[in-house]
Amino acid sequence: MARPRSASARLVEHVQKLGEQHPPIDLASVDFAVKDPRLLNERFGHVLDFMARVELEVDRNVLELLTLLPDPPEVDVFFYRDVWQPQEIQHGRILDELQVRLGRDNAVTDLENVGFKLKLLGALSHLGAFQDVSRMLYYLTGMATERSAVLAYNILHDGIVEMGEGAIAETVIVPIKRQEPGHYAFYQLSARNLWAELAPWQKWLVRKLRSFSFSPVGVNNPEQLADFGDVMATLGVSEDVQFVAQIARVETELLWAREHGLPVPDYIVQAFAGAVTAARERAAA
């Protein structure tokens, strides 16, 4: 009888398949034809800009990972260097090209600055036991980021189809949103595997640090927080509790299963509510 594969072997196999089955999107396969550029820009231009920036900033995200994890598992490096980064950067280039064709400026990106908090965690991560805490935070952030992307791209796709912009929907949004679930699966598998191995004190520390550090995807300053709130409003999820709950589902299960009846951790609810408030206050000003 064949021996069951280890969790690590299954993870490596997943990353290999992800790279083989989903190479970076060929720019030549994209049809940028738009029937009504003015209307598409008016309705979704700022959403495309936000998404393009987040996707393009994966170059900085890799720098952050090199800082945060001084000695990462080989499969993590394989994933973010050989699969995730090449796929995501191409998403960003395509979305940025689309918004330029709509008459917008290129996304303004930060590709170099690594925050102080990450540098501090990276310094502590030279202690092996603490690096596992940092790894868990990385996986949790990855899950929230990719789940947010999956949900957002699905809504964006439906909105663009509704506008009759079939070429953009089918050759830009569909190929991108087809690749995001594989990224989410990597983070989820990694998080479940690592969580089962952590000592009680490490789990306690992950919970504490996560509650202090959580922020919505692509948000690093107050202006970007308001931008995220505008994206939520455009996608119609400003008041959608289920949208937030879906993003936090696995995180809630792993970190807070003992808190019976807790649908979404308070720090996640407050972060998304803060984005909505920031967008409304900016608009009012």
Side-chain angles (χ1 to χ4, degrees), residues 74-115:
E74 290 184 9
V75 66
D76 285 27
V77 178
F78 178 26
F79 172 73
Y80 70 67
R81 183 190 62 197
D82 298 335
V83 178
W84 176 75
Q85 193 272 353
Q87 290 178 353
E88 296 282 87
I89 202 71
Q90 195 68 348
H91 297 174
R93 288 168 179 160
I94 291 169
L95 293 172
D96 207 32
E97 175 66 20
L98 173 58
Q99 74 161 346
V100 168
R101 293 188 182 219
L102 297 181
R104 302 176 61 87
D105 293 332
N106 290 102
V108 178
T109 59
D110 177 0
L111 305 181
E112 298 179 353
N113 293 312
V114 177

Side-chain angles (χ1 to χ4, degrees), residues 133-205:
V133 171
S134 296
R135 278 177 58 209
M136 192 68 205
L137 292 170
Y138 157 53
Y139 298 146
L140 292 171
T141 298
M143 277 198 299
T145 297
E146 298 298 343
R147 189 59 180 158
S148 297
V150 169
L151 297 174
Y153 279 122
N154 284 338
I155 297 170
L156 179 62
H157 172 265
D158 292 345
I160 291 177
V161 168
E162 187 180 83
M163 294 179 67
E165 299 289 357
I168 297 301
E170 296 308 312
T171 70
V172 174
I173 308 303
V174 167
I176 291 175
K177 76 188 189 78
R178 188 180 293 133
Q179 294 186 340
E180 302 292 358
H183 303 163
Y184 175 76
F186 169 80
Y187 293 122
Q188 182 183 177
L189 290 169
S190 299
R192 290 186 183 281
N193 292 343
L194 182 57
W195 188 253
E197 298 174 358
L198 295 182
W201 72 267
Q202 291 173 307
K203 292 181 177 180
W204 176 87
L205 189 54

Side-chain angles (χ1 to χ4, degrees), residues 256-263:
W256 308 104
R258 62 186 182 181
E259 305 290 343
H260 299 295
L262 181 68

